[in-house]
Amino acid sequence: MPIIPGFPQPLLEEHKRWHHARHSVDPNRPPTGYGLDFLSFHRAFIRKVRDWYVQVGLDSRLIEPWTSVPQPIRQAACFDLGAEDRILRRPETFASTDELGRFIEASGIHGCIHQEAAALYGEPLLNDFDNAPASTVFYNIHGLIDRWWLNWEGLGRFGEGMPYWSGRFYRSEAEVLHYRREDSSWWLGMAEEKEDRAAAEEVRLDWGAIGESGRFGPLDDGRPFRVWDSDGDGRLEVLFQSPDTGEWWEGSLRDGRLEWKAIRLENVGLPSQAGDSLRAKPRRKRKTPT
């Protein structure tokens, strides 16, 4: 796998400083707060690098998140299949983002992926915290971990009293989706375009109502709920299971409106054998994204 040409030194230093400031943390017993710190920092770092990567005209497909851990890594002695199963299929068992992040470290799954990917792709720098971000594989790995967090954020955000989710729901990665319980409405916040370069650091969100889900009842009532790219189109969807019928529904943004469709979730084998371990199957043909 390629080393990223011309990787910016300031970004490399930013990642190095983050790790050096936490060199005393025992990854087997990370302290309270470390999990949130770990996930938040890497999400923001990935976005900064992606912005630079696209700006200089490099092929962004090389830094896309893995949809699953490659099978040779999953077969390694250090890889905890039980930990992976809990992260993917039982995210509601983590009480907070911090607990999820600490589990990803303490279970050894993060370190194992780095170690085995270094051997698999012949890139020893993946084991070097100071230089790992110069490899495209770093973003495959941490993009996947960020997707694990997104999966948890579906239901977990309700538990934390913060019913909003960030990512690409319609056009860009900088969008925020918000659920308003009092009227079951959904709102999308998109960054305003700035013509004044001097004001570029000031980010404002332009909010618009995109739909509602009142007929399904309150979606924060503890029912299975996920935010995930369930159809592999690069956009996030909202998925939940009806507590009355057991039926799964998917909400996706099409032409600026949130469309709800009944879907069927199928197990399609191990994550290494398909794009995602659970994939949505619409009951009628999906519209082509615009």
Side-chain angles (χ1 to χ4, degrees):
M1 302 295 284
I3 303 300
I4 300 173
F7 192 85
Q9 190 63 31
L11 286 174
L12 208 58
E13 289 294 330
E14 180 180 347
H15 185 264
K16 184 190 301 185
R17 285 194 302 271
W18 188 89
H19 273 283
H20 283 210
R22 294 154 184 82
H23 72 279
S24 61
V25 172
D26 180 356
N28 297 310
R29 290 187 294 274
T32 300
Y34 181 86
L36 174 61
D37 189 16
F38 167 75
L39 291 173
S40 299
F41 170 80
H42 285 89
R43 173 175 283 180
F45 184 77
I46 288 170
R47 287 178 177 169
K48 288 180 185 177
V49 172
R50 184 178 181 83
D51 287 345
W52 168 81
Y53 202 92
V54 172
Q55 183 180 5
V56 298
L58 296 174
D59 185 356
S60 62
R61 291 174 296 180
L62 294 176
I63 59 169
E64 287 298 316
W66 283 336
T67 55
S68 60
V69 180
Q71 183 67 0
I73 296 176
R74 296 183 75 252
Q75 292 176 332
C78 65
F79 193 83
D80 189 333
L81 293 169
E84 181 193 45
D85 183 78
R86 182 184 176 192
I87 292 166
L88 286 174
R89 300 178 187 276
R90 295 180 289 123
E92 67 278 0
T93 62
F94 299 103
S96 66
T97 291
D98 186 54
E99 185 178 326
L100 170 64
R102 286 187 287 124
F103 180 81
I104 290 171
E105 283 285 59
S107 66
I109 199 168
H110 170 224
C112 178
I113 293 173
H114 268 270
Q115 170 188 304
E116 296 302 315
L120 182 63
Y121 298 112
E123 284 197 5
L125 62 76
L126 286 170
N127 285 323
D128 179 356
F129 288 142
D130 291 352
N131 295 298
S135 167
T136 57
V137 183
F138 178 89
Y139 305 96
N140 305 149
I141 294 170
H142 279 277
L144 172 66
I145 291 175
D146 192 60
R147 284 187 169 186
W148 290 347
W149 184 18
L150 277 169
N151 189 33
W152 177 87
E153 282 184 315
L155 186 59
R157 283 289 186 183
F158 287 136
E160 292 186 331
M162 298 186 295
Y164 63 86
W165 303 268
S166 60
R168 184 184 179 220
F169 293 91
Y170 192 42
R171 289 189 180 132
S172 80
E173 295 285 342
E175 296 166 350
V176 179
L177 183 69
H178 173 61
Y179 171 70
R180 200 162 68 179
R181 189 183 198 275
E182 52 267 30
D183 59 4
S184 298
S185 63
W186 291 84
W187 296 73
L188 188 69
M190 305 175 73
E192 293 180 345
E193 295 184 3
K194 294 285 184 183
E195 294 184 3
D196 181 5
R197 285 193 169 274
E201 293 297 321
E202 182 184 353
V203 177
R204 294 180 181 271
L205 292 177
D206 183 16
W207 290 95
I210 57 171
E212 59 86 31
S213 56
R215 60 184 161 134
F216 303 111
L219 298 189
D220 59 351
D221 58 3
R223 70 185 69 187
F225 183 96
R226 301 285 183 268
V227 173
W228 197 254
D229 180 7
S230 57
D231 57 7
D233 67 352
R235 303 180 186 186
L236 296 170
E237 285 84 35
V238 176
L239 293 89
F240 68 86
Q241 188 177 33
S242 169
D244 299 324
T245 66
E247 191 173 42
W248 280 90
W249 289 81
E250 176 194 83
S252 56
L253 263 171
R254 297 291 180 263
D255 298 323
R257 299 296 298 173
L258 191 61
E259 297 181 359
W260 297 101
K261 297 177 183 177
I263 61 170
R264 178 167 49 91
L265 290 181
E266 283 189 342
N267 283 315
V268 291
L270 296 173
S272 59
Q273 297 171 324
D276 287 306
S277 59
L278 288 176
R279 188 170 290 278
K281 297 280 187 178
R283 289 190 173 177
R284 54 192 173 88
K285 188 175 180 181
R286 180 181 301 280
K287 292 183 178 179
T288 302
T290 56

